[in-house]
Amino acid sequence: AFEDTRTPFRMALWVSGINIALAVACHLLLSPRWAVTGMAAAYALSYGIGLLMTALRLRKRTEGLLDGRRICRTYAKLTSAATGAGAAGWLIARSCSHNLQPASWTPAISLAAGGIAMALLFLLFARLLRIGELRSLPGLG
Protein backbone atom coordinates (compact mmCIF):
# COMPACT_ATOMS: atom_id res chain seq x y z
CA ALA A 1 0.00 0.00 0.00
CA PHE A 2 2.93 2.32 0.64
CA GLU A 3 4.75 1.14 -2.52
CA ASP A 4 7.75 0.40 -0.32
CA THR A 5 9.49 -2.96 -0.54
CA ARG A 6 12.59 -1.99 1.43
CA THR A 7 10.88 -1.60 4.79
CA PRO A 8 9.30 -5.08 4.87
CA PHE A 9 12.62 -6.54 3.73
CA ARG A 10 14.50 -4.73 6.50
CA MET A 11 11.94 -5.82 9.08
CA ALA A 12 12.29 -9.42 7.89
CA LEU A 13 16.07 -9.12 8.27
CA TRP A 14 15.65 -7.91 11.86
CA VAL A 15 13.22 -10.71 12.73
CA SER A 16 15.46 -13.32 11.11
CA GLY A 17 18.57 -11.93 12.80
CA ILE A 18 16.92 -12.01 16.22
CA ASN A 19 15.66 -15.52 15.57
CA ILE A 20 19.09 -16.75 14.49
CA ALA A 21 20.82 -15.15 17.49
CA LEU A 22 18.34 -16.64 19.94
CA ALA A 23 18.42 -20.06 18.25
CA VAL A 24 22.23 -20.14 18.42
CA ALA A 25 22.05 -19.13 22.09
CA CYS A 26 19.61 -21.99 22.73
CA HIS A 27 21.91 -24.43 20.95
CA LEU A 28 24.94 -23.30 22.94
CA LEU A 29 23.35 -22.72 26.35
CA LEU A 30 20.63 -25.33 26.70
CA SER A 31 20.92 -29.08 27.08
CA PRO A 32 20.16 -31.06 23.92
CA ARG A 33 16.84 -32.14 25.45
CA TRP A 34 15.64 -28.51 25.76
CA ALA A 35 17.46 -26.87 22.84
CA VAL A 36 14.68 -27.48 20.30
CA THR A 37 12.02 -26.27 22.75
CA GLY A 38 14.11 -23.16 23.34
CA MET A 39 14.44 -22.64 19.59
CA ALA A 40 10.66 -22.81 19.20
CA ALA A 41 10.31 -20.20 21.95
CA ALA A 42 13.00 -18.10 20.23
CA TYR A 43 11.03 -18.27 16.99
CA ALA A 44 7.87 -17.06 18.72
CA LEU A 45 9.75 -14.34 20.60
CA SER A 46 11.48 -13.06 17.46
CA TYR A 47 8.13 -12.73 15.68
CA GLY A 48 6.64 -11.02 18.73
CA ILE A 49 9.48 -8.51 18.63
CA GLY A 50 8.92 -8.15 14.88
CA LEU A 51 5.25 -7.43 15.48
CA LEU A 52 6.14 -4.71 17.97
CA MET A 53 8.73 -3.19 15.63
CA THR A 54 6.29 -3.26 12.72
CA ALA A 55 3.49 -1.70 14.77
CA LEU A 56 5.77 1.10 15.94
CA ARG A 57 6.96 1.70 12.39
CA LEU A 58 3.42 1.74 11.00
CA ARG A 59 2.21 4.04 13.73
CA LYS A 60 4.97 6.49 12.90
CA ARG A 61 4.28 6.20 9.19
CA THR A 62 0.51 6.57 9.51
CA GLU A 63 0.91 9.48 11.91
CA GLY A 64 -0.81 7.77 14.83
CA LEU A 65 -3.78 6.35 12.93
CA LEU A 66 -2.88 2.78 13.92
CA ASP A 67 -5.03 1.54 16.82
CA GLY A 68 -2.39 -0.10 19.01
CA ARG A 69 -4.80 -1.00 21.79
CA ARG A 70 -7.05 -2.91 19.45
CA ILE A 71 -4.10 -4.78 17.99
CA CYS A 72 -2.81 -5.64 21.48
CA ARG A 73 -6.27 -6.82 22.56
CA THR A 74 -6.59 -9.02 19.49
CA TYR A 75 -3.18 -10.60 20.00
CA ALA A 76 -3.86 -11.11 23.72
CA LYS A 77 -7.10 -12.91 22.85
CA LEU A 78 -5.36 -15.01 20.18
CA THR A 79 -2.58 -15.90 22.62
CA SER A 80 -5.12 -16.88 25.27
CA ALA A 81 -7.09 -19.05 22.86
CA ALA A 82 -3.92 -20.70 21.53
CA THR A 83 -2.49 -21.30 25.01
CA GLY A 84 -5.69 -22.90 26.28
CA ALA A 85 -6.11 -25.04 23.18
CA GLY A 86 -2.43 -26.02 23.17
CA ALA A 87 -2.48 -27.07 26.83
CA ALA A 88 -5.62 -29.15 26.32
CA GLY A 89 -4.25 -30.72 23.14
CA TRP A 90 -1.01 -31.61 24.91
CA LEU A 91 -2.92 -33.20 27.80
CA ILE A 92 -5.11 -35.21 25.42
CA ALA A 93 -2.13 -36.39 23.34
CA ARG A 94 -0.21 -37.32 26.49
CA SER A 95 -3.22 -39.15 27.90
CA CYS A 96 -3.62 -41.14 24.67
CA SER A 97 0.05 -42.11 24.59
CA HIS A 98 -0.06 -43.32 28.21
CA ASN A 99 -3.44 -45.07 28.11
CA LEU A 100 -3.23 -46.89 24.77
CA GLN A 101 -1.48 -50.22 24.48
CA PRO A 102 1.99 -49.70 23.03
CA ALA A 103 1.79 -50.22 19.28
CA SER A 104 3.32 -48.72 16.18
CA TRP A 105 0.18 -46.58 15.59
CA THR A 106 -0.04 -45.17 19.15
CA PRO A 107 1.98 -42.00 18.35
CA ALA A 108 -0.21 -41.31 15.30
CA ILE A 109 -3.41 -41.68 17.34
CA SER A 110 -1.99 -39.42 20.06
CA LEU A 111 -0.95 -36.80 17.52
CA ALA A 112 -4.30 -36.89 15.73
CA ALA A 113 -6.32 -36.68 18.96
CA GLY A 114 -4.24 -33.81 20.33
CA GLY A 115 -4.20 -31.95 17.01
CA ILE A 116 -7.94 -32.24 16.42
CA ALA A 117 -8.66 -31.19 20.01
CA MET A 118 -6.36 -28.18 19.65
CA ALA A 119 -7.97 -27.02 16.41
CA LEU A 120 -11.53 -27.38 17.69
CA LEU A 121 -10.78 -25.83 21.08
CA PHE A 122 -8.96 -22.92 19.48
CA LEU A 123 -12.01 -22.15 17.36
CA LEU A 124 -14.27 -22.48 20.40
CA PHE A 125 -12.08 -20.25 22.58
CA ALA A 126 -11.67 -17.71 19.76
CA ARG A 127 -15.44 -17.57 19.36
CA LEU A 128 -15.99 -17.22 23.12
CA LEU A 129 -13.41 -14.42 23.22
CA ARG A 130 -15.19 -12.74 20.29
CA ILE A 131 -12.17 -12.54 18.04
CA GLY A 132 -13.53 -10.55 15.11
CA GLU A 133 -11.22 -12.11 12.52
CA LEU A 134 -13.20 -15.35 12.80
CA ARG A 135 -16.00 -13.74 10.83
CA SER A 136 -13.81 -13.81 7.72
CA LEU A 137 -13.60 -17.63 7.85
CA PRO A 138 -16.33 -19.45 5.88
CA GLY A 139 -19.04 -20.87 8.14
CA LEU A 140 -17.71 -19.25 11.32
CA GLY A 141 -19.02 -15.70 10.95
Side-chain angles (χ1 to χ4, degrees):
F2 290 117
E3 297 182 8
D4 171 20
T5 57
R6 290 182 181 167
T7 301
F9 176 75
R10 289 181 184 135
M11 298 306 285
L13 284 178
W14 274 104
V15 170
S16 297
I18 292 167
N19 187 27
I20 290 167
L22 291 173
V24 169
C26 289
H27 174 71
L28 295 174
L29 301 174
L30 297 175
S31 69
R33 180 176 183 196
W34 290 104
V36 174
T37 303
M39 288 177 195
Y43 181 81
L45 181 61
S46 67
Y47 274 89
I49 292 169
L51 170 66
L52 180 63
M53 290 170 55
T54 302
L56 292 172
R57 180 83 173 192
L58 279 173
R59 184 175 213 169
K60 186 176 173 183
R61 194 151 199 193
T62 60
E63 299 172 357
L65 294 175
L66 188 67
D67 187 359
R69 288 185 183 173
R70 185 172 117 353
I71 291 171
C72 287
R73 264 195 315 274
T74 299
Y75 275 93
K77 288 178 182 182
L78 287 167
T79 300
S80 297
T83 301
W90 178 80
L91 287 171
I92 290 168
R94 188 169 171 91
S95 174
C96 287
S97 66
H98 286 296
N99 293 328
L100 293 174
Q101 294 295 326
S104 61
W105 47 266
T106 300
I109 296 291
S110 298
L111 177 66
I116 291 168
M118 273 194 329
L120 294 176
L121 285 171
F122 176 80
L123 291 173
L124 173 68
F125 293 154
R127 188 169 190 125
L128 290 173
L129 291 170
R130 293 189 172 107
I131 297 173
E133 286 71 10
L134 276 183
R135 285 189 288 271
S136 66
L137 296 174
L140 295 175

PDB file of all heavy atoms in Angstrom, residues 29-47:
ATOM      1  N   LEU A  29      23.568 -22.851  24.913  1.00  0.00           N
ATOM      2  CA  LEU A  29      23.352 -22.724  26.349  1.00  0.00           C
ATOM      3  C   LEU A  29      22.434 -23.773  26.958  1.00  0.00           C
ATOM      4  O   LEU A  29      22.514 -24.024  28.168  1.00  0.00           O
ATOM      5  CB  LEU A  29      22.809 -21.328  26.673  1.00  0.00           C
ATOM      6  CG  LEU A  29      23.695 -20.159  26.261  1.00  0.00           C
ATOM      7  CD1 LEU A  29      22.989 -18.839  26.501  1.00  0.00           C
ATOM      8  CD2 LEU A  29      25.024 -20.212  27.009  1.00  0.00           C
ATOM      9  N   LEU A  30      21.578 -24.370  26.159  1.00  0.00           N
ATOM     10  CA  LEU A  30      20.627 -25.335  26.700  1.00  0.00           C
ATOM     11  C   LEU A  30      21.080 -26.763  26.440  1.00  0.00           C
ATOM     12  O   LEU A  30      21.814 -27.034  25.491  1.00  0.00           O
ATOM     13  CB  LEU A  30      19.246 -25.112  26.079  1.00  0.00           C
ATOM     14  CG  LEU A  30      18.581 -23.758  26.353  1.00  0.00           C
ATOM     15  CD1 LEU A  30      17.277 -23.637  25.574  1.00  0.00           C
ATOM     16  CD2 LEU A  30      18.340 -23.565  27.835  1.00  0.00           C
ATOM     17  N   SER A  31      20.613 -27.668  27.296  1.00  0.00           N
ATOM     18  CA  SER A  31      20.922 -29.081  27.078  1.00  0.00           C
ATOM     19  C   SER A  31      20.238 -29.544  25.799  1.00  0.00           C
ATOM     20  O   SER A  31      19.231 -28.954  25.377  1.00  0.00           O
ATOM     21  CB  SER A  31      20.425 -29.911  28.269  1.00  0.00           C
ATOM     22  OG  SER A  31      19.013 -29.934  28.295  1.00  0.00           O
ATOM     23  N   PRO A  32      20.770 -30.589  25.169  1.00  0.00           N
ATOM     24  CA  PRO A  32      20.157 -31.062  23.919  1.00  0.00           C
ATOM     25  C   PRO A  32      18.663 -31.365  24.063  1.00  0.00           C
ATOM     26  O   PRO A  32      17.902 -31.169  23.125  1.00  0.00           O
ATOM     27  CB  PRO A  32      20.945 -32.332  23.594  1.00  0.00           C
ATOM     28  CG  PRO A  32      22.276 -32.113  24.231  1.00  0.00           C
ATOM     29  CD  PRO A  32      21.988 -31.333  25.488  1.00  0.00           C
ATOM     30  N   ARG A  33      18.250 -31.811  25.234  1.00  0.00           N
ATOM     31  CA  ARG A  33      16.841 -32.136  25.446  1.00  0.00           C
ATOM     32  C   ARG A  33      15.951 -30.898  25.323  1.00  0.00           C
ATOM     33  O   ARG A  33      14.819 -30.974  24.865  1.00  0.00           O
ATOM     34  CB  ARG A  33      16.667 -32.761  26.818  1.00  0.00           C
ATOM     35  CG  ARG A  33      15.245 -33.111  27.109  1.00  0.00           C
ATOM     36  CD  ARG A  33      15.083 -33.816  28.401  1.00  0.00           C
ATOM     37  NE  ARG A  33      13.675 -34.169  28.548  1.00  0.00           N
ATOM     38  CZ  ARG A  33      13.137 -34.516  29.663  1.00  0.00           C
ATOM     39  NH1 ARG A  33      13.859 -34.601  30.747  1.00  0.00           N
ATOM     40  NH2 ARG A  33      11.862 -34.812  29.719  1.00  0.00           N
ATOM     41  N   TRP A  34      16.446 -29.730  25.743  1.00  0.00           N
ATOM     42  CA  TRP A  34      15.645 -28.513  25.760  1.00  0.00           C
ATOM     43  C   TRP A  34      15.985 -27.524  24.644  1.00  0.00           C
ATOM     44  O   TRP A  34      15.304 -26.512  24.494  1.00  0.00           O
ATOM     45  CB  TRP A  34      15.778 -27.808  27.116  1.00  0.00           C
ATOM     46  CG  TRP A  34      15.105 -28.596  28.176  1.00  0.00           C
ATOM     47  CD1 TRP A  34      15.709 -29.382  29.123  1.00  0.00           C
ATOM     48  CD2 TRP A  34      13.701 -28.718  28.394  1.00  0.00           C
ATOM     49  NE1 TRP A  34      14.768 -29.977  29.911  1.00  0.00           N
ATOM     50  CE2 TRP A  34      13.523 -29.584  29.485  1.00  0.00           C
ATOM     51  CE3 TRP A  34      12.587 -28.184  27.765  1.00  0.00           C
ATOM     52  CZ2 TRP A  34      12.268 -29.923  29.956  1.00  0.00           C
ATOM     53  CZ3 TRP A  34      11.326 -28.525  28.245  1.00  0.00           C
ATOM     54  CH2 TRP A  34      11.187 -29.383  29.324  1.00  0.00           C
ATOM     55  N   ALA A  35      17.026 -27.816  23.878  1.00  0.00           N
ATOM     56  CA  ALA A  35      17.459 -26.870  22.840  1.00  0.00           C
ATOM     57  C   ALA A  35      16.372 -26.611  21.803  1.00  0.00           C
ATOM     58  O   ALA A  35      16.119 -25.460  21.433  1.00  0.00           O
ATOM     59  CB  ALA A  35      18.729 -27.378  22.167  1.00  0.00           C
ATOM     60  N   VAL A  36      15.703 -27.658  21.331  1.00  0.00           N
ATOM     61  CA  VAL A  36      14.676 -27.479  20.303  1.00  0.00           C
ATOM     62  C   VAL A  36      13.469 -26.726  20.871  1.00  0.00           C
ATOM     63  O   VAL A  36      12.898 -25.865  20.200  1.00  0.00           O
ATOM     64  CB  VAL A  36      14.250 -28.841  19.703  1.00  0.00           C
ATOM     65  CG1 VAL A  36      13.082 -28.687  18.750  1.00  0.00           C
ATOM     66  CG2 VAL A  36      15.430 -29.481  18.985  1.00  0.00           C
ATOM     67  N   THR A  37      13.109 -27.011  22.112  1.00  0.00           N
ATOM     68  CA  THR A  37      12.019 -26.270  22.752  1.00  0.00           C
ATOM     69  C   THR A  37      12.400 -24.801  22.873  1.00  0.00           C
ATOM     70  O   THR A  37      11.580 -23.906  22.613  1.00  0.00           O
ATOM     71  CB  THR A  37      11.708 -26.862  24.138  1.00  0.00           C
ATOM     72  OG1 THR A  37      11.384 -28.243  23.978  1.00  0.00           O
ATOM     73  CG2 THR A  37      10.555 -26.140  24.799  1.00  0.00           C
ATOM     74  N   GLY A  38      13.631 -24.537  23.256  1.00  0.00           N
ATOM     75  CA  GLY A  38      14.106 -23.161  23.337  1.00  0.00           C
ATOM     76  C   GLY A  38      14.103 -22.475  21.986  1.00  0.00           C
ATOM     77  O   GLY A  38      13.762 -21.290  21.878  1.00  0.00           O
ATOM     78  N   MET A  39      14.448 -23.223  20.939  1.00  0.00           N
ATOM     79  CA  MET A  39      14.439 -22.641  19.595  1.00  0.00           C
ATOM     80  C   MET A  39      13.024 -22.304  19.147  1.00  0.00           C
ATOM     81  O   MET A  39      12.812 -21.282  18.467  1.00  0.00           O
ATOM     82  CB  MET A  39      15.097 -23.603  18.603  1.00  0.00           C
ATOM     83  CG  MET A  39      16.589 -23.691  18.783  1.00  0.00           C
ATOM     84  SD  MET A  39      17.275 -24.906  17.645  1.00  0.00           S
ATOM     85  CE  MET A  39      18.886 -25.149  18.365  1.00  0.00           C
ATOM     86  N   ALA A  40      12.055 -23.121  19.525  1.00  0.00           N
ATOM     87  CA  ALA A  40      10.659 -22.806  19.202  1.00  0.00           C
ATOM     88  C   ALA A  40      10.226 -21.533  19.933  1.00  0.00           C
ATOM     89  O   ALA A  40       9.560 -20.668  19.355  1.00  0.00           O
ATOM     90  CB  ALA A  40       9.750 -23.978  19.575  1.00  0.00           C
ATOM     91  N   ALA A  41      10.632 -21.416  21.194  1.00  0.00           N
ATOM     92  CA  ALA A  41      10.313 -20.200  21.950  1.00  0.00           C
ATOM     93  C   ALA A  41      11.024 -18.997  21.337  1.00  0.00           C
ATOM     94  O   ALA A  41      10.450 -17.900  21.265  1.00  0.00           O
ATOM     95  CB  ALA A  41      10.705 -20.374  23.416  1.00  0.00           C
ATOM     96  N   ALA A  42      12.252 -19.183  20.876  1.00  0.00           N
ATOM     97  CA  ALA A  42      12.998 -18.103  20.232  1.00  0.00           C
ATOM     98  C   ALA A  42      12.297 -17.643  18.956  1.00  0.00           C
ATOM     99  O   ALA A  42      12.234 -16.449  18.666  1.00  0.00           O
ATOM    100  CB  ALA A  42      14.422 -18.569  19.914  1.00  0.00           C
ATOM    101  N   TYR A  43      11.767 -18.586  18.209  1.00  0.00           N
ATOM    102  CA  TYR A  43      11.027 -18.267  16.987  1.00  0.00           C
ATOM    103  C   TYR A  43       9.814 -17.398  17.320  1.00  0.00           C
ATOM    104  O   TYR A  43       9.588 -16.355  16.693  1.00  0.00           O
ATOM    105  CB  TYR A  43      10.596 -19.576  16.320  1.00  0.00           C
ATOM    106  CG  TYR A  43       9.848 -19.421  15.024  1.00  0.00           C
ATOM    107  CD1 TYR A  43      10.523 -19.191  13.839  1.00  0.00           C
ATOM    108  CD2 TYR A  43       8.467 -19.532  14.983  1.00  0.00           C
ATOM    109  CE1 TYR A  43       9.843 -19.056  12.638  1.00  0.00           C
ATOM    110  CE2 TYR A  43       7.774 -19.401  13.789  1.00  0.00           C
ATOM    111  CZ  TYR A  43       8.464 -19.169  12.623  1.00  0.00           C
ATOM    112  OH  TYR A  43       7.790 -19.043  11.446  1.00  0.00           O
ATOM    113  N   ALA A  44       9.060 -17.821  18.320  1.00  0.00           N
ATOM    114  CA  ALA A  44       7.872 -17.058  18.724  1.00  0.00           C
ATOM    115  C   ALA A  44       8.265 -15.681  19.244  1.00  0.00           C
ATOM    116  O   ALA A  44       7.632 -14.671  18.902  1.00  0.00           O
ATOM    117  CB  ALA A  44       7.096 -17.826  19.794  1.00  0.00           C
ATOM    118  N   LEU A  45       9.309 -15.620  20.042  1.00  0.00           N
ATOM    119  CA  LEU A  45       9.753 -14.341  20.598  1.00  0.00           C
ATOM    120  C   LEU A  45      10.236 -13.397  19.503  1.00  0.00           C
ATOM    121  O   LEU A  45       9.912 -12.209  19.517  1.00  0.00           O
ATOM    122  CB  LEU A  45      10.861 -14.563  21.630  1.00  0.00           C
ATOM    123  CG  LEU A  45      11.409 -13.330  22.320  1.00  0.00           C
ATOM    124  CD1 LEU A  45      10.312 -12.618  23.107  1.00  0.00           C
ATOM    125  CD2 LEU A  45      12.559 -13.713  23.245  1.00  0.00           C
ATOM    126  N   SER A  46      10.973 -13.922  18.540  1.00  0.00           N
ATOM    127  CA  SER A  46      11.476 -13.059  17.464  1.00  0.00           C
ATOM    128  C   SER A  46      10.328 -12.479  16.643  1.00  0.00           C
ATOM    129  O   SER A  46      10.367 -11.314  16.246  1.00  0.00           O
ATOM    130  CB  SER A  46      12.468 -13.812  16.566  1.00  0.00           C
ATOM    131  OG  SER A  46      11.836 -14.840  15.850  1.00  0.00           O
ATOM    132  N   TYR A  47       9.276 -13.260  16.418  1.00  0.00           N
ATOM    133  CA  TYR A  47       8.132 -12.730  15.679  1.00  0.00           C
ATOM    134  C   TYR A  47       7.310 -11.773  16.533  1.00  0.00           C
ATOM    135  O   TYR A  47       6.714 -10.828  16.012  1.00  0.00           O
ATOM    136  CB  TYR A  47       7.276 -13.854  15.089  1.00  0.00           C
ATOM    137  CG  TYR A  47       7.834 -14.252  13.748  1.00  0.00           C
ATOM    138  CD1 TYR A  47       8.813 -15.229  13.636  1.00  0.00           C
ATOM    139  CD2 TYR A  47       7.426 -13.603  12.597  1.00  0.00           C
ATOM    140  CE1 TYR A  47       9.360 -15.562  12.415  1.00  0.00           C
ATOM    141  CE2 TYR A  47       7.965 -13.931  11.360  1.00  0.00           C
ATOM    142  CZ  TYR A  47       8.929 -14.906  11.280  1.00  0.00           C
ATOM    143  OH  TYR A  47       9.484 -15.216  10.070  1.00  0.00           O
TER     144      TYR A  47
END
